[in-house]
Amino acid sequence: MEEHNAVNFTRLLSDESTLSTMSSDSCEYYQTEIFDQLPSIQTSRLGQDRQGLWETCEAHQGGPEAGERISHGHLSRGPKDKAFTQPPRNLVMCIQGRRDARDRRKMQISNIGFWESWRRSQSINRRRVWAQMGEALSGLLPWLHTLHTIEGRFGVGVKAYFVFLRYLVFLNLLHSALLWVFILGPTTLYGRSNSSKPLKFGGNDSVLDFFLGSGYLDRSPVFFSFYTRGSLNFQCLNTPLLYLAGILIILFLSLILVVRRMTVGYKHTWMLGKRYSMNVSYKIFCGWDFTIQDTTAAILKHSFIRNDLKLFLEEQSFSLREAQRTLGLRVRLYLLRFVLNLLVLSLLGGAFFLIYFATKTSQQESGHYWLFSLVLEYLPPITITVVNLLLPHMFRKISSFEDYSFTMQVNATLVRSIFLKLASLGIYLFFIFTTRERQKYSFHCRENMFGREMYKLCIFNFLATFCDTFLLKYPRKLLQEKYPSSLLARLSGKQRFLIPFKVLDLVYSQTVSWVGVYYCPLLPLIGTATLMATFYIQKFTVLRCCVAEQRMFRGSSSSVLFHFMLLLGLLMAATTLGFNLYQQEATQNENMSSCGPFGNGETVFNVTGVCVNSFPSPAQTTLRYLASEAFALPLILAEILILTSYVSRRRANQKAIERLKDMLVMSSSDKRFLVKQHATMLRSQRKTHGVCSGAIEEDAPHPL
């Protein structure tokens, strides 16, 4: 115990760390005199002594089998070395070490059979093929050069926005493909019902119908009422069931994709959180890519490293300032944050009342001029857009007084603004669902009416983005370039790409697409076109009109927050669809018009019930059991078991990480010890050499 106290060991969190045998299998030591003095060897021997004493006691209690296990314990091997299946060039070691590893691998291959040798070689070749395929597929992704340019000039955060935008484009393309398979394709092949009228543009139709969603567009495949029963009319294969299956698959697949990306981003953020400390020397001396041959690429790489260092210094400065706060400063800061949060709640309440008033006003009859009627129809989208444009800027100013880090300020603004966006949309949807003024829609399809509202929100959101860029930001940039000394140019200041507000627009538009896909099936296709146009509009904005932000923030944590906002929007869409289906079932006996795939008084529950009744009796019993409350208990137990297994794996991985950290600490301790021993040896040699030189000078004869 005294020997252990003499060792300069700075990190040992648990007993499991001392029992690790990873270094004994992966490293080769030579039994020298200084080997026994290394701190890592002394610590590992102390742990082995404890383990040996415990196993000896167990052997006396457990009989001869336990003793035999201990006596042959040094012959047992742990799990196979993962480095064996890796190519030698991927091993982190010097050239001589790679040669030795290759020689040992050849010796092992010569001692094993042909089948095992072939299996290992095939495993290595498979890894190489998958790595090459991954590189090739990643090179096929669109807008790679644009993303690299944006990252070099504006940092990782702005790039994370465009990557998020590209992900939404791919997601809407997938939705469009599913809609063609389940809805558009069967309708095109098998046609509609005989009572459906042919689609023609004429009569009272006008160009305004493409903005209002009425007239010609109301009868087109854009909306719900177009998809009626055709010749495909079996009990379990018909237009209503395919329509419902397509919508549910879209929502379920979106849930899987969003949750997967959010969990992957969360693991990355957890690894790079407070447990992660960036080595500045590594970033400066080892962060350069020596394969760069282009001057532009070299400039971009310089910008990457500079932005990363700026982010690190910003976080370190805030951490130092936060650690120096006194108790009085903390109390005053918490009171200030409480007052500012009350102000935020007041602003949100006022915004919700304004949206409610605009929605109620738009429901009134108007016999005025067509332009006034158009504005009245778009009054709720205009109000929602104006509120969502002004309040986030107020939230940004408020968060600057709360003394958070820059990344925390961005995330706080995002949370408040997304609550504003989703809550305003929720209030708008709730008012549309619960309105009792149905005389206006007594002869129209109610689902089409709801789809028109979502269509107008989508179109107006894109028009607002277009007008904001080419009618506000670009003229402002031209004014600053041509007349930089003018008063208006100095007052306007430099434009910066505000990531929170741009992300809010994307989340809002995707939420509208998910909410309205049941009532407006072509909304994902419209969303794909608008998102692709938005990408080029925002690219023009950031490269032509904006300057780089002086304060940087990490894109990893914000990426997790982006997908969490998407998850909230998806849950809101699922809740809206469930409420609408329940309301449809509850009001089927009222004098309500029916249209679309669920016409003639049919509902989702009636159509699915007819399909289930056509199944054999065991299948009906199974399906009814899965839909009953009795299945909830086994499902909850299964979820508990799965979560328990994942928690156990997380703890095991955390212990492995702790052991690896201990090995790194002990490796550094060994290096310091060896350097100290080497310095001591050099000093002793110098003293010995000095003494010998002095003795020689004294023995030398003096000249007369």
Side-chain angles (χ1 to χ4, degrees):
M1 192 66 183
E2 295 176 358
E3 184 181 1
H4 175 64
N5 293 332
V7 178
N8 184 17
F9 183 64
T10 57
R11 187 181 186 277
L12 185 59
L13 298 182
S14 60
D15 294 337
E16 289 82 354
S17 300
T18 63
L19 301 180
S20 177
T21 60
M22 298 175 65
S23 59
S24 61
D25 291 336
S26 59
C27 302
E28 295 181 358
Y29 295 109
Y30 296 96
Q31 298 295 333
T32 59
E33 183 179 356
I34 200 173
F35 173 74
D36 297 331
Q37 302 177 12
L38 293 177
S40 60
I41 300 303
Q42 296 180 12
T43 306
S44 62
R45 285 183 176 176
L46 179 63
Q48 290 174 1
D49 292 340
R50 292 178 180 175
Q51 185 180 9
L53 180 61
W54 180 80
E55 290 180 349
T56 303
C57 297
E58 184 183 9
H60 287 294
Q61 296 177 1
E65 295 180 357
E68 183 179 358
R69 184 176 65 251
I70 295 173
S71 63
H72 297 282
H74 64 280
L75 297 176
S76 62
R77 302 283 298 179
K80 294 181 179 180
D81 190 6
K82 292 183 180 179
F84 186 84
T85 60
Q86 295 182 1
R89 63 180 180 180
N90 293 341
L91 300 177
V92 185
M93 57 179 63
C94 59
I95 299 298
Q96 186 61 37
R98 293 181 182 178
R99 291 173 181 172
D100 296 339
R102 188 182 295 111
D103 294 337
R104 289 195 300 268
R105 185 174 297 177
K106 290 180 180 179
M107 293 176 61
Q108 292 180 9
I109 291 176
S110 63
N111 295 329
I112 63 178
F114 173 77
W115 173 254
E116 183 68 18
S117 175
W118 180 83
R119 189 183 64 82
R120 293 184 180 184
S121 62
Q122 291 300 316
S123 176
I124 295 174
N125 293 332
R126 255 195 320 271
R127 290 195 177 190
R128 289 177 179 174
V129 170
W130 282 112
Q132 293 175 359
M133 289 179 60
E135 293 178 359
L137 291 177
S138 63
L140 296 177
L141 291 175
W143 305 315
L144 282 179
H145 178 70
T146 301
L147 294 178
H148 284 300
T149 304
I150 292 172
E151 182 182 5
R153 291 182 55 182
F154 298 92
V156 184
V158 180
K159 178 192 173 183
Y161 164 79
F162 283 93
V163 171
F164 183 64
L165 177 55
R166 184 179 64 181
Y167 168 72
L168 291 182
V169 171
F170 292 155
L171 187 64
N172 281 274
L173 281 175
L174 179 61
H175 292 172
S176 301
L178 291 175
L179 287 172
W180 170 259
V181 171
F182 285 94
I183 299 177
L184 293 175
T187 304
T188 304
L189 294 175
Y190 294 97
R192 300 190 295 162
S193 62
N194 297 326
S195 60
S196 300
K197 299 179 180 179
L199 186 62
K200 294 181 181 180
F201 186 87
N204 296 326
D205 299 333
S206 63
V207 181
L208 290 178
D209 294 336
F210 293 94
F211 293 94
L212 296 177
S214 58
Y216 173 79
L217 210 64
D218 186 66
R219 305 187 303 270
S220 67
V222 176
F223 291 107
F224 181 85
S225 61
F226 180 82
Y227 304 94
T228 56
R229 281 180 178 264
S231 59
L232 185 64
N233 195 14
F234 300 98
Q235 289 183 338
C236 289
L237 187 61
N238 48 54
T239 302
L241 285 180
L242 288 176
Y243 191 95
L244 181 63
I247 301 301
L248 294 181
I249 288 176
I250 285 176
L251 296 179
F252 186 70
L253 187 61
S254 301
L255 177 63
I256 294 176
L257 294 176
V258 172
V259 170
R260 179 184 176 276
R261 287 183 65 94
M262 187 176 66
T263 51
V264 171
Y266 176 75
K267 287 191 296 185
H268 181 69
T269 306
W270 182 83
M271 293 174 62
L272 297 181
K274 295 182 179 179
R275 302 169 179 85
Y276 172 76
S277 179
M278 186 185 72
N279 193 346
V280 181
S281 61
Y282 171 78
K283 283 292 181 182
I284 296 175
F285 297 106
C286 303
W288 185 255
D289 186 3
F290 289 94
T291 61
I292 294 177
Q293 299 179 358
D294 187 20
T295 305
T296 306
I299 295 174
L300 290 177
K301 188 63 178 179
H302 275 293
S303 301
F304 297 162
I305 299 175
R306 182 177 63 250
N307 290 335
D308 205 354
L309 292 177
K310 287 170 62 178
L311 170 61
F312 174 74
L313 294 176
E314 177 71 24
E315 292 178 349
Q316 292 296 320
S317 176
F318 176 78
S319 300
L320 181 62
R321 188 172 67 252
E322 187 180 17
Q324 295 176 351
R325 290 174 183 169
T326 60
L327 180 61
L329 290 176
R330 292 178 184 274
V331 171
R332 287 197 294 269
L333 181 61
Y334 291 152
L335 289 177
L336 177 62
R337 290 176 180 175
F338 177 75
V339 174
L340 292 177
N341 284 314
L342 289 180
L343 178 60
V344 169
L345 292 177
S346 301
L347 292 174
L348 289 174
F352 296 157
F353 177 77
L354 187 62
I355 293 171
Y356 174 80
F357 178 76
T359 307
K360 187 176 181 180
T361 304
S362 65
Q363 299 287 340
Q364 299 176 0
E365 295 284 348
S366 61
H368 302 281
Y369 187 58
W370 67 269
L371 182 60
F372 184 79
S373 300
L374 179 64
V375 173
L376 194 63
E377 287 284 341
Y378 270 91
L379 186 60
I382 291 174
T383 305
I384 293 175
T385 302
V386 171
V387 167
N388 293 332
L389 181 64
L390 297 179
L391 286 190
H393 289 277
M394 296 183 182
F395 295 157
R396 178 169 170 262
K397 293 296 183 182
I398 290 174
S399 64
S400 63
F401 292 102
E402 293 179 323
D403 198 11
Y404 290 122
S405 64
F406 185 67
T407 303
M408 185 61 188
Q409 290 181 21
V410 172
N411 292 337
T413 305
L414 278 172
V415 170
R416 291 166 179 169
S417 302
I418 197 59
F419 179 76
L420 168 68
K421 291 250 181 183
L422 295 182
S424 60
L425 182 60
I427 289 176
Y428 183 47
L429 298 177
F430 179 77
F431 184 81
I432 292 176
F433 272 129
T434 58
T435 180
R436 296 302 177 184
E437 300 174 359
R438 299 184 179 179
Q439 295 80 9
K440 181 178 179 180
Y441 308 106
S442 56
F443 300 101
H444 297 278
C445 181
R446 189 170 182 272
E447 285 78 7
N448 274 25
M449 180 270 296
F450 190 83
R452 281 199 299 271
E453 300 298 329
M454 297 298 103
Y455 175 81
K456 288 189 291 185
L457 287 176
C458 181
I459 295 299
F460 191 80
N461 188 36
F462 173 73
L463 292 178
T465 302
F466 181 85
C467 295
D468 179 63
T469 299
F470 293 102
L471 298 182
L472 294 178
K473 292 184 178 179
Y474 186 56
R476 178 180 168 186
K477 182 65 176 180
L478 292 178
L479 176 65
Q480 293 176 354
E481 290 178 349
K482 294 185 178 181
Y483 307 100
S485 59
S486 62
L487 179 61
L488 186 59
R490 292 198 304 269
L491 290 177
S492 60
K494 296 181 179 180
Q495 302 182 74
R496 304 188 187 278
F497 194 80
L498 302 177
I499 301 174
F501 309 144
K502 303 298 182 182
V503 173
L504 289 175
D505 293 336
L506 294 182
V507 174
Y508 175 74
S509 63
Q510 187 60 42
T511 303
V512 170
S513 177
W514 278 330
V515 171
V517 67
Y518 179 78
Y519 315 95
C520 183
L522 292 188
L523 205 57
L525 186 60
I526 298 172
T528 302
T530 55
L531 286 174
M532 293 182 67
T534 302
F535 186 93
Y536 290 102
I537 291 174
Q538 298 299 342
K539 173 189 172 182
F540 176 82
T541 301
V542 69
L543 296 178
R544 182 66 180 86
C545 305
C546 297
V547 296
E549 184 71 47
Q550 296 180 355
R551 303 174 65 187
M552 312 298 295
F553 70 101
R554 293 199 184 276
S556 57
S557 60
S558 298
S559 179
V560 176
L561 192 57
F562 296 167
H563 292 91
F564 179 72
M565 295 175 189
L566 272 184
L567 183 61
L568 293 180
L570 184 60
L571 293 178
M572 182 177 181
T575 305
T576 304
L577 179 60
F579 181 77
N580 187 28
L581 295 179
Y582 172 77
Q583 193 179 33
Q584 182 183 9
E585 178 69 16
T587 59
Q588 62 175 340
N589 295 326
E590 298 181 9
N591 188 16
M592 293 290 296
S593 59
S594 59
C595 60
F598 301 100
N600 300 322
E602 293 180 333
T603 62
V604 174
F605 303 97
N606 295 337
V607 174
T608 54
V610 170
C611 179
V612 171
N613 292 331
S614 64
F615 290 163
S617 179
Q620 295 184 26
T621 305
T622 303
L623 290 177
R624 289 192 173 93
Y625 172 73
L626 293 178
S628 64
E629 299 177 355
F631 181 68
L633 182 59
L635 183 62
I636 293 174
L637 292 178
E639 292 177 353
I640 292 174
L641 292 177
I642 294 174
L643 291 176
T644 304
S645 65
Y646 274 102
V647 170
S648 301
R649 289 177 58 184
R650 183 187 66 83
R651 291 178 179 176
N653 293 334
Q654 188 173 3
K655 289 182 180 179
I657 292 172
E658 296 299 329
R659 293 175 182 177
L660 293 175
K661 289 180 180 179
D662 292 341
M663 291 175 61
L664 290 175
V665 171
M666 296 311 302
S667 176
S668 62
S669 300
D670 291 345
K671 293 177 182 178
R672 289 195 300 269
F673 178 77
L674 292 174
V675 170
K676 183 178 179 181
Q677 292 293 329
H678 181 67
T680 305
M681 184 178 63
L682 289 179
R683 284 196 299 268
S684 62
Q685 289 179 357
R686 289 173 183 174
K687 289 181 180 180
T688 305
H689 181 70
V691 171
C692 293
S693 300
I696 293 173
E697 291 178 357
E698 290 178 358
D699 294 340
H702 296 281
L704 296 175

